[in-house]
Amino acid sequence: LDDPGLDIAAGQEFLQEVFQILLEEGVQKSTDVTQKVCEWKEPQELRELMDLELRSDGEGQERLLQRCRDVLRLSVRTGHPRFFNQLFSGLDHHALAGRFLTETLNTSPYTYEVAPVLVLMEEQVLAKLRELVGWSSGDGIFAPGGSMSNMLAMNVARFRRFPESRSRGNWDLPRLGLFASQESHYSILKGAALLGIGTDNVHLVRTDERGKMIPEELEKEIQRVKAEGSEPLFVCATSGTTVLGAFDPLDAIADICARHGLWLHVDAAWGGSALLSPQLHHLLAGIHRSDSVTWNPHKLLMVGLQCSAFLLHDSSGLLQRCHGVGASYLFQRDKFYDVSLDTGDKSPQCGRRADGLKLWILWKAVGTRGLGWRVERAFAATRYLLEQVKRREGFQLVMEPEFINLCFWFIPPSLRGQESSPEFWDKLGKVAPAIKEKMIRRGSMMVGYQPLGSRVNFFRQIITNPAVTRQDLDFFLDEIQELGWDL
């Protein structure tokens, strides 16, 4: 015990080598359009290449450095300009610097004493996000993803209506009713299961042809649930649905919630960043009337996973009362500083990442106007691609996009003119998976596909990366056409 148990000099030398690998493989190559998006390997082959077994003895530095290279080389390059597979993509160097800082600091922003800078930073970022929503006051916390932010909303809504549920549980509560659209995120069902409310008590409200919740159908569902003896509690409206990018009519939904005394939560995990754009913020008209909001800057703003804000309009300490237990080894009331800055008890988590840091650095770097410009550029790129899809033979829109989700089919020459055939749609549903397999094995790009209702598999193209150019978008359509031509 007289000497350190770590070789600090060797460790720093190792890190310097790793940083060089990160810059070369993880930043330069991952954002280089001439590189592959992925180097596909079958699972068994990848297990053997990586030699994943954990052994009794450690390995030398050169072997470990090679393993770092292999992790980057054999992983999907989500920063690549031709990665369109998820609602997140791209690599922002300022935000990445924030992620490096977060990992290096290795602290949790649950108390001011162990994370003074990060606690104040989180406070400022959350206040700015609330301001964009249209609230002059409120509360909030960063959560590990939009699903958890949505679940926090459900839990807080239940606590506000039935504060005894915190101590007594659900056993003596009435049967609760939750409402969300048919296109809402699956985390609403997961949250109902996790919180003991039950998935049978989530009522999915019909949507129109564009995927928006129909307010009149919400009213009918609420009345039906009341007539059955349940207690309506919570409505989740969506601003930017996952597949179609639909924005529910918030003002009309807020009117219904006000009339029935229901908690209105807006899942703006995807579409919330439109609030930064003077051209697009109208898509969320009425969001200021909500009780809570989920907003994921790690999606459209390219902050990096994970960064999800749960925003609360209430400023009475509802989050603290709902979740706090006042652990005496963390949240002592007799500390020498303002203990209101010990915000960790507002979250169900104990250890928590400082997810506000990377957003703060990015915001400082580009400003509010710069963030808004990113959203507008992504929207403009989608408009360009939309016009190209309309012009090209064999491409068919699922519907005209409202936001940045472009959904379409590619119809191979072998199927054209067969639209009236009973087998046409069944065959067309197999086209997108076949094309995607080819592109992944080639490593040229990645894009998502899915069915929706009666619609068979279609491509869902998402652009969030400012590095994407017109050339990349033209390549995207050319590649689909080439890979699907002989199907």
Side-chain angles (χ1 to χ4, degrees):
L1 297 179
D2 291 333
D3 297 307
L6 294 173
D7 188 335
I8 294 174
Q12 291 177 352
E13 179 185 344
F14 176 70
L15 281 179
Q16 288 177 342
E17 296 284 348
V18 170
F19 288 148
Q20 189 60 40
I21 292 170
L22 282 171
L23 285 174
E24 292 174 1
E25 292 283 347
V27 177
Q28 294 169 6
K29 289 185 179 179
S30 287
T31 57
D32 184 349
V33 75
T34 67
Q35 298 288 319
K36 288 185 176 183
V37 174
C38 64
E39 188 72 51
W40 177 258
K41 304 293 180 186
E42 296 295 335
Q44 188 53 41
E45 181 185 6
L46 189 57
R47 290 187 186 100
E48 293 170 2
L49 280 171
M50 289 300 299
D51 182 21
L52 298 173
E53 183 181 348
L54 301 173
R55 299 181 176 86
S56 299
D57 296 324
E59 298 178 338
Q61 179 164 307
E62 285 306 312
R63 187 73 184 97
L64 290 174
L65 291 172
Q66 183 57 48
R67 292 195 180 283
C68 292
R69 291 188 189 94
D70 289 343
V71 167
L72 293 168
R73 180 175 60 86
L74 297 171
S75 293
V76 175
R77 290 169 168 158
T78 63
H80 197 286
R82 294 173 183 172
F83 175 83
F84 306 108
N85 206 67
Q86 252 64 52
L87 296 182
F88 64 86
S89 68
L91 187 150
D92 182 272
H93 300 85
H94 297 102
L96 182 60
R99 292 153 76 184
F100 288 156
L101 289 170
T102 300
E103 294 302 315
T104 303
L105 289 170
N106 189 39
T107 192
S108 174
Y110 45 32
T111 64
Y112 181 81
E113 64 181 315
V114 297
V117 174
L118 303 178
V119 165
L120 297 180
M121 198 173 281
E122 179 172 283
E123 178 184 68
Q124 176 61 36
V125 171
L126 290 170
K128 192 66 177 178
L129 294 175
R130 289 195 303 268
E131 177 187 319
L132 288 164
V133 169
W135 301 334
S136 59
S137 61
D139 203 350
I141 201 84
F142 279 97
S147 291
M148 288 305 301
S149 290
N150 287 341
M151 293 178 200
L152 288 179
M154 298 162 72
N155 198 39
V156 172
R158 180 177 58 180
F159 173 77
R160 187 185 69 169
R161 176 81 67 85
F162 303 103
E164 68 275 15
S165 65
R166 173 187 156 100
S167 56
R168 297 174 62 82
N170 287 332
W171 71 273
D172 62 348
L173 298 186
R175 184 172 184 174
L176 303 178
L178 312 180
F179 304 86
S181 85
Q182 292 172 332
E183 300 300 317
S184 61
H185 194 258
Y186 65 83
S187 57
I188 304 302
L189 288 166
K190 283 195 172 187
L194 181 67
L195 295 171
I197 294 171
T199 56
D200 287 350
N201 297 311
V202 176
H203 306 281
L204 298 180
V205 180
R206 281 183 54 210
T207 56
D208 64 17
E209 68 281 357
R210 299 195 58 81
K212 301 170 181 286
M213 184 191 289
I214 302 172
E216 295 79 9
E217 294 297 321
L218 172 61
E219 178 70 37
K220 289 178 185 177
E221 280 296 298
I222 292 170
Q223 297 290 2
R224 182 183 65 80
V225 167
K226 282 185 174 181
E228 292 175 353
S230 294
E231 180 88 8
L233 172 71
F234 173 95
V235 174
C236 176
T238 309
S239 289
T241 58
T242 304
V243 178
L244 299 177
F247 287 74
D248 289 341
L250 299 182
D251 267 322
I253 294 171
D255 289 342
I256 294 170
C257 290
R259 188 159 58 248
H260 292 279
L262 306 184
W263 183 285
L264 174 57
H265 174 67
V266 177
D267 178 0
W270 172 227
S273 295
L275 291 169
L276 289 153
S277 164
Q279 299 176 20
L280 298 169
H281 68 78
H282 67 275
L283 294 170
L284 297 100
I287 193 171
H288 65 284
R289 300 176 63 188
S290 64
D291 295 289
S292 57
V293 171
T294 290
W295 184 347
N296 285 9
H298 72 235
K299 289 188 166 75
L300 195 46
L301 299 184
M302 216 169 61
V303 176
L305 290 165
Q306 62 197 30
C307 189
S308 176
F310 172 65
L311 307 175
L312 189 65
H313 196 186
D314 180 275
S315 57
S316 71
L318 189 60
L319 262 180
Q320 176 70 36
R321 297 196 307 276
C322 180
H323 297 130
V325 294
S328 60
Y329 55 86
L330 270 181
F331 306 113
Q332 304 94 331
R333 306 306 298 172
D334 55 357
K335 291 180 178 178
F336 62 93
Y337 58 83
D338 179 3
V339 295
S340 69
L341 294 170
D342 288 356
T343 56
D345 218 14
K346 296 192 293 188
S347 170
Q349 297 171 259
C350 182
R352 193 164 56 85
R353 291 172 55 88
D355 290 325
L357 169 55
K358 54 199 169 190
L359 177 55
W360 183 86
I361 286 186
L362 173 60
W363 211 317
K364 281 288 190 181
V366 304
T368 305
R369 281 197 293 268
L371 294 176
W373 175 85
R374 289 190 177 187
V375 179
E376 291 164 4
R377 191 183 191 281
F379 186 79
T382 303
R383 297 297 107 181
Y384 172 79
L385 196 63
L386 169 65
E387 294 307 312
Q388 298 306 307
V389 165
K390 288 179 176 180
R391 290 191 183 108
R392 294 197 182 210
E393 186 180 4
F395 289 84
Q396 181 177 324
L397 281 176
V398 173
M399 67 174 54
E400 194 88 12
E402 183 175 26
F403 193 43
I404 301 174
N405 303 46
L406 184 64
C407 301
F408 64 91
W409 290 285
F410 175 72
I411 305 174
S414 64
L415 292 180
R416 293 172 196 173
Q418 300 183 30
E419 286 80 358
S420 59
S421 166
E423 297 85 19
F424 172 79
W425 290 106
D426 181 60
K427 291 178 180 178
L428 184 60
K430 298 174 182 177
V431 170
I435 291 175
K436 180 160 186 178
E437 179 182 352
K438 287 184 176 184
M439 73 174 67
I440 289 180
R441 291 188 182 280
R442 182 182 282 189
S444 57
M445 62 185 194
M446 286 185 72
V447 63
Y449 73 85
Q450 67 285 306
L452 183 67
S454 61
R455 301 179 179 100
V456 300
N457 284 321
F458 54 84
F459 289 111
R460 180 198 61 168
Q461 210 272 13
I462 301 292
I463 303 167
T464 62
N465 186 354
V468 172
T469 65
R470 184 179 286 109
Q471 182 181 1
D472 296 315
L473 300 176
D474 291 339
F475 174 87
F476 171 77
L477 296 179
D478 291 341
E479 186 77 347
I480 285 180
Q481 190 166 319
E482 178 187 338
L483 296 175
W485 191 258
D486 295 329
L487 293 177

